[in-house]
Amino acid sequence: MSMLERSTRAYGSPSRYIQGRYELDRIREYTEVYGKRVFFLIDVFFYQDFKEKFEGIYGESDSEIRCEQFGGQCTEREILRCTKAAEELAPEVVVGIGGGKTMDTAKAVADNCQAAVIIVPTTASTDAPAMGLSVIYTEEGEHIGARHYRKNPDLVLLDTEILVKAPIRFLVAGMGDALSTYVECRANFQSSSPNYVNKGYRQTIAGLAVSKACHETILAKGVLAKLAAEKGLCTKDVEDVIEANTLLSGLGVQNTSCAGAHSIAEGITVLPPCAQLLHGEVVAFGVLVQLIVEGAPAEELEELYDFYQEVGLPYTFEDLDIPDASQEDIRKVAEASMASYWDVEPFTVTPQMVYDGIMMADTLGRRKKQL
């Protein structure tokens, strides 16, 4: 267990968070707060359209821009390549537009160039935008660690017109990831484990409150948000869920840390079909496992199973594309998950406990489908 021996508290967050429809059209207004030389790192799926858009927006200004297409993986090599491209401009601000790996690479480039960083997500599937770290991978996509920064992004900018047009699966996966925030927060509070602010401090009341608000917002608004987003509508419910998926979840995890749910998400990727799922989908199943290992009240589990069924989050092995998983497979997952965050639980967790939790989560899920 990683219990803190000091009582010092700390809280980290982006300097600014702006969310609304068509906000990307005002990007020049936002970048000029930080400087006139702007380096854009853009996901491949949006590169050509956004490059043309930004060249038009900045065409009449005295700002100088450069657009670079992201290579697809947040590796040390890609960070170095993008840093060299940025250094030709000597940017005052770096803007990362795309998914989690694009955003994480942009954070690293901005840090290398000592520039301000603006993060513009194109899906609401992850809490990465608000966090002051980057997850680093090998060329083959293997997770090898994280790079922490002295500050969080200067601005997180969300254009909800873009987000609501993304495939609905991303929004739902974001809900799954967000639902881990409060569940994992509780475990870290109970064990007095360090958060992710610098080298780790005790959690604040604010971190707990944000995490709880994230959980409550997803459960209260998630079903209606999904229905609206499926029609391309950007209702208040959609806006609230986007904020919970992105800002509240990001603030929650940085200021309170991960636990069993993310341990399962990392461990279950030893099974190839699960490695193809979205991060929030496997985290969602991990939430159920963590609660079962903790002996959570039946009412809390029932509420989550009901919600998962309505929005389409996975809660059985079949949903995870492993319907024929053997006991040996699940034991491998349990063992692999021990390398992550189970040590923050307020009691000792063993591989056998995790194995039992995984099997029980599937058992309850299959029972739910039969009702």
Side-chain angles (χ1 to χ4, degrees):
M1 189 175 295
S2 51
M3 181 181 292
L4 284 165
E5 296 181 357
R6 56 181 176 168
S7 60
T8 305
R9 307 180 183 192
Y11 186 89
S13 68
S15 297
R16 296 289 186 272
Y17 177 91
I18 298 174
Q19 172 186 320
R21 242 173 170 168
Y22 312 117
E23 285 299 323
L24 193 60
D25 293 345
R26 303 173 62 189
I27 187 66
R28 194 180 98 192
E29 173 185 332
Y30 294 127
T31 60
E32 287 181 347
V33 171
Y34 303 100
K36 299 289 188 180
R37 297 187 303 279
V38 188
F39 179 78
F40 287 94
L41 184 63
I42 308 171
D43 190 279
V44 61
F45 298 108
F46 298 89
Y47 178 74
Q48 198 57 47
D49 288 344
F50 283 174
K51 180 175 184 291
E52 293 175 6
K53 180 185 183 76
F54 299 146
E55 287 173 350
I57 289 175
Y58 288 87
E60 300 295 323
S61 75
D62 58 352
S63 289
E64 185 180 357
I65 72 169
R66 171 165 180 168
C67 296
E68 185 72 24
Q69 181 175 301
F70 176 55
Q73 190 65 271
C74 185
T75 64
E76 293 293 352
R77 179 183 294 179
E78 179 66 5
I79 290 169
L80 180 60
R81 183 190 73 82
C82 294
T83 298
K84 288 182 176 178
E87 286 174 343
E88 295 178 11
L89 179 66
E92 295 171 287
V93 55
V94 173
V95 183
I97 306 178
K101 292 178 181 180
T102 307
M103 294 184 285
D104 278 359
T105 302
K107 293 176 195 175
V109 171
D111 187 61
N112 289 346
C113 295
Q114 297 186 332
V117 60
I118 296 176
I119 297 299
V120 185
T122 50
T123 69
S125 64
T126 174
D127 50 26
M131 297 185 67
L133 60 83
S134 297
V135 179
I136 310 299
Y137 297 86
T138 65
E139 300 291 339
E140 294 71 34
E142 179 185 351
H143 170 233
I144 56 173
R147 178 172 170 177
H148 293 260
Y149 305 112
R150 65 185 184 277
K151 65 181 179 66
N152 293 59
D154 296 278
L155 168 63
V156 178
L157 179 65
L158 280 77
D159 188 325
T160 48
E161 179 68 12
I162 294 171
L163 299 180
V164 80
K165 290 180 177 177
I168 197 68
R169 183 182 174 189
F170 289 102
L171 181 68
V172 173
M175 296 184 208
D177 195 21
L179 282 172
S180 72
T181 307
Y182 179 57
V183 172
E184 295 187 309
C185 164
R186 276 189 322 206
N188 281 279
F189 253 86
Q190 290 167 5
S191 63
S192 297
S193 296
N195 61 20
Y196 291 138
V197 179
N198 297 336
K199 294 183 179 180
Y201 292 87
R202 193 173 295 274
Q203 293 82 3
T204 60
I205 297 171
L208 176 62
V210 166
S211 298
K212 189 173 183 180
C214 178
H215 196 81
E216 292 173 346
T217 300
I218 296 298
L219 291 179
K221 307 272 191 169
V223 174
L224 292 178
K226 182 193 176 189
L227 290 172
E230 285 175 333
K231 300 293 185 181
L233 308 175
C234 197
T235 63
K236 186 176 185 300
D237 290 326
V238 173
E239 293 274 7
D240 287 349
V241 167
I242 287 172
E243 181 183 339
N245 284 7
T246 308
L247 179 63
L248 302 184
S249 183
L251 293 176
V253 70
Q254 175 149 19
N255 291 289
T256 64
S257 191
C258 295
H262 276 79
S263 298
I264 293 297
E266 293 187 6
I268 207 166
T269 57
V270 301
L271 305 181
C274 295
Q276 306 305 313
L277 297 171
L278 296 178
H279 174 73
E281 294 170 335
V282 287
V283 169
F285 186 77
V287 171
L288 302 175
V289 177
Q290 179 182 330
L291 290 174
I292 291 168
V293 170
E294 292 174 344
E299 296 79 10
E300 184 173 6
L301 280 164
E302 186 67 24
E303 181 179 37
L304 287 175
Y305 276 101
D306 286 344
F307 181 80
Y308 285 20
Q309 189 172 57
E310 285 202 76
V311 299
L313 285 168
Y315 56 95
T316 66
F317 291 167
E318 182 179 7
D319 297 336
L320 293 168
D321 294 329
I322 51 170
D324 301 318
S326 66
Q327 292 185 15
E328 182 182 356
D329 288 334
I330 302 308
R331 290 196 184 279
K332 288 179 180 177
V333 172
E335 289 286 353
S337 77
M338 299 306 295
S340 298
Y341 316 99
W342 281 117
D343 65 329
V344 307
E345 294 289 337
F347 52 86
T348 300
V349 177
T350 66
Q352 182 64 52
M353 293 165 65
V354 177
Y355 169 84
D356 292 345
I358 296 171
M359 297 298 288
M360 190 61 183
D362 175 63
T363 298
L364 292 175
R366 286 187 285 108
R367 179 173 175 269
K368 181 72 177 176
K369 289 179 183 288
Q370 293 168 359
L371 293 179

